[in-house]
Amino acid sequence: MKKSKWQMITCALLAVVLGMCLCACGGGINVGGKNNNNDDSTLTIGITGDSGEATAIDTLRKPFENMYKAVTGKAITVQTVRIDGGYISGVQKLLNAKNLPNIIQVYDYASEYLTYRKVLVPISEYMSRDSVSESEIAPAVLSFMKSGGASDDKVYWMSRDYNRVTVMYNKDIFDAAGVDYPQNGWTWNDFTDTCAALKANAAQIRAVTGQDNFYAVDANLNFEAVFYPAIRSFGGDLYDTATGKAFKNEAGVKAGLTKLYSLLQNGYAVSPTNGGNVFATKEAAMYFCVRPNIVSAATHLKHADGTFPIDFVTMPSYNDTETTYVGMGCTGYGISTSCPESKRDLAWAFLKFVASKDGQELLSKSGSGFPMRNDMFNDTAAFNDFLPDADHSAFYADPAGSKNKDLAMNFLQGFKVEKHNAVYNDVIKSNLFTTLDVAKNADSFYSDLKARLNSVIA
């Protein structure tokens, strides 16, 4: 799955060495290796070691405690347990020890694995009981939450956000180059024409930015939410259910990756081997990004008068395909199977608060959280207050006639569930795109990728 308002709330993180590092920040309570599962007045929530996740929970913690006491008359404490290092392996260790926190953080592509490992308690019955309708949630987000697979229609966790890939751009750079701002509904040809115009004016852009380097776009090429939708848009996939082997329509796989790789060949995009945020340092005019990326960019690019040169536009549609898939993902929370029956109503109350309009407003006010509720996709919701001069519609709606379609990041489906970590870490994230050289090494790249994927296919 954040925000400037969250930065107003501090969370003291106390390090504890356990063999894996656990740390409590909610309420400032050190858990000391135990997750207070039998204390009905304490709700424990396990999160990744990312500092932004601690901030996100702190945004929700006190308002939930106050709301719960107002409704029930009972005072409770929300305690955060940070699981450092490898989050999934850390969760597995706590599961084996029957010591999972009452709630754990869940993120999109890992949700099927966590459900398979029986880490999560289904919440469909709670939703039905309390009239929390599936129709309130963005369809692509709901597809993640139903992480038990096609044969299981149950919801296993509650998303807190909805993150579609969009294009963030720097208006100052466009102005310096004398290039028109992009518009929602633009095509890939429009996009590459814009890249060419920006590149042609690189010298005057560098004079304004004061940077030695300039790229038209940081296309985030090694981000699965960028390259997987490109593959799908051209009819390819990493797994073919018909043959039970890697690559459905290998020509489509190659076409999608080649389309993106052409940005490098033409000198438009920064190489994915560059680990810096070149958009935030004014070295790129555009950035293929998701909502959590914008707070950092805004912090770096803020003008002295308090205004921002940032705006947003939808991902460009490919001219040569029927549908352009746009990657999206989400993060949320699920009730763990270590949570005692006596505390599951309390755990559900937190999940329901996250999904409520009040909870979603809290998460979206600070900028990096985007609501997953359909009824908040409008220009009056709180997310518009962050960068109020920008057009935020690219994050939730495409203009009429657009070919763009949300694609949930289900790129691991089809592979052995128990091998998901290996597929993701050893194949997908091991610099997949950085090893592709279409001009010199395409055959060996695709042969190697296919072999590595076949080794972990169900």
Side-chain angles (χ1 to χ4, degrees):
M1 243 216 213
K2 292 182 175 185
K3 307 302 182 191
S4 59
K5 181 172 182 179
W6 297 348
Q7 295 168 2
M8 298 169 62
I9 309 173
T10 57
C11 178
L13 301 176
L14 307 175
V16 180
V17 178
L18 300 174
M20 66 182 294
C21 182
L22 295 179
C23 154
C25 66
I29 303 171
N30 190 314
V31 298
K34 287 295 181 180
N35 285 321
N36 295 331
N37 284 341
N38 296 317
D39 179 358
D40 288 345
S41 66
T42 300
L43 181 67
T44 55
I45 302 179
I47 62 172
T48 65
D50 186 284
S51 61
E53 294 303 328
T55 306
I57 285 290
D58 233 20
T59 301
L60 296 165
R61 180 178 61 82
K62 185 56 67 175
F64 172 71
E65 291 173 350
N66 293 339
M67 180 276 293
Y68 191 82
K69 183 175 183 180
V71 172
T72 68
K74 181 180 179 180
I76 54 99
T77 298
V78 175
Q79 179 187 94
T80 305
V81 180
R82 195 177 73 185
I83 303 174
D84 288 327
Y87 179 72
I88 297 301
S89 60
V91 167
Q92 186 66 56
K93 290 177 183 177
L94 291 172
L95 175 68
N96 294 340
K98 296 181 173 55
N99 190 33
L100 280 169
N102 305 140
I103 291 172
I104 65 163
Q105 180 185 342
V106 184
Y107 46 92
D108 42 43
Y109 68 84
S111 60
E112 185 180 0
Y113 178 84
L114 292 172
T115 305
Y116 169 80
R117 288 296 189 189
K118 301 188 185 306
V119 173
L120 303 171
V121 175
I123 61 172
S124 293
E125 291 184 7
Y126 293 101
M127 292 175 66
S128 297
R129 184 193 71 186
D130 292 353
S131 300
V132 177
S133 174
E134 294 181 4
S135 65
E136 298 173 356
I137 300 166
V141 172
L142 184 63
S143 71
F144 279 127
M145 292 163 52
K146 292 189 172 184
S147 49
S151 61
D152 184 348
D153 197 43
K154 296 178 181 178
V155 177
Y156 279 85
W157 54 286
M158 184 62 70
S159 174
R160 73 165 188 235
D161 53 22
Y162 163 71
N163 286 315
R164 171 195 284 181
V165 178
T166 62
V167 182
M168 179 163 52
Y169 65 95
N170 186 325
K171 294 187 290 184
D172 286 348
I173 292 178
F174 275 78
D175 291 342
V179 176
D180 291 339
Y181 301 151
Q183 301 294 318
N184 282 350
W186 61 337
T187 67
W188 190 261
N189 288 350
D190 296 330
F191 165 66
T192 54
D193 286 347
T194 298
C195 289
L198 290 165
K199 181 182 177 182
N201 291 283
Q204 62 203 63
I205 291 171
R206 288 195 296 266
V208 170
T209 63
Q211 298 291 344
D212 293 331
N213 299 313
F214 173 73
Y215 305 91
V217 61
D218 179 352
N220 218 345
L221 292 175
N222 211 42
F223 182 26
E224 58 273 7
V226 171
F227 65 73
Y228 182 63
I231 290 172
R232 288 287 305 274
S233 294
F234 286 88
D237 208 336
L238 296 176
Y239 174 74
D240 187 348
T241 56
T243 65
K245 296 181 179 180
F247 292 170
K248 175 183 178 181
N249 182 8
E250 185 167 346
V253 175
K254 292 180 178 179
L257 293 180
T258 300
K259 180 71 74 170
L260 295 176
Y261 187 80
S262 68
L263 299 176
L264 292 176
Q265 290 178 308
N266 291 319
Y268 298 153
V270 61
S271 170
T273 59
N274 186 323
N277 187 343
V278 296
F279 181 82
T281 56
K282 304 179 184 180
E283 295 175 87
M286 296 178 284
Y287 184 24
F288 290 179
C289 68
V290 289
R291 190 75 182 187
N293 299 128
I294 72 173
V295 172
S296 175
T299 300
H300 285 86
L301 298 175
K302 185 177 181 179
H303 290 153
D305 63 1
T307 60
F308 301 88
I310 293 172
D311 214 333
F312 311 101
V313 67
T314 53
M315 285 289 287
S317 298
Y318 297 117
N319 299 78
D320 43 353
T321 63
E322 181 177 346
T323 300
T324 296
Y325 288 102
V326 179
M328 65 74 54
C330 57
T331 298
Y333 308 101
I335 302 172
S336 81
T337 50
S338 291
C339 183
E341 292 283 350
S342 62
K343 294 180 69 175
R344 290 186 180 178
D345 274 336
L346 172 59
W348 162 246
F350 178 81
L351 268 59
K352 185 168 64 170
F353 178 70
V354 170
S356 70
K357 285 187 176 181
D358 287 344
Q360 291 290 293
E361 288 281 85
L362 284 170
L363 287 164
S364 61
K365 279 181 179 178
S366 55
S368 61
F370 199 86
M372 51 71 166
R373 295 179 59 100
N374 295 315
D375 56 3
M376 295 177 70
F377 293 173
N378 53 60
D379 59 8
T380 63
F383 60 82
N384 294 279
D385 297 337
F386 189 85
L387 305 177
D389 295 329
D391 179 1
H392 297 264
S393 64
F395 289 96
Y396 62 89
D398 292 310
S402 172
K403 300 188 300 179
N404 290 7
K405 182 178 180 180
D406 277 351
L407 178 65
M409 284 293 94
N410 59 357
F411 56 92
L412 294 178
Q413 289 185 356
F415 300 99
K416 295 177 182 178
V417 179
E418 63 269 29
K419 294 290 187 178
H420 275 193
N421 282 336
V423 177
Y424 183 69
N425 294 314
D426 300 337
V427 182
I428 301 298
K429 292 303 290 182
S430 61
N431 298 320
L432 179 150
F433 210 91
T434 63
T435 60
L436 173 60
D437 186 329
V438 172
K440 300 177 182 177
N441 201 33
D443 290 342
S444 63
F445 169 82
Y446 289 109
S447 297
D448 179 61
L449 177 60
K450 185 187 296 186
R452 294 166 74 189
L453 290 173
N454 275 327
S455 70
V456 287
I457 282 179

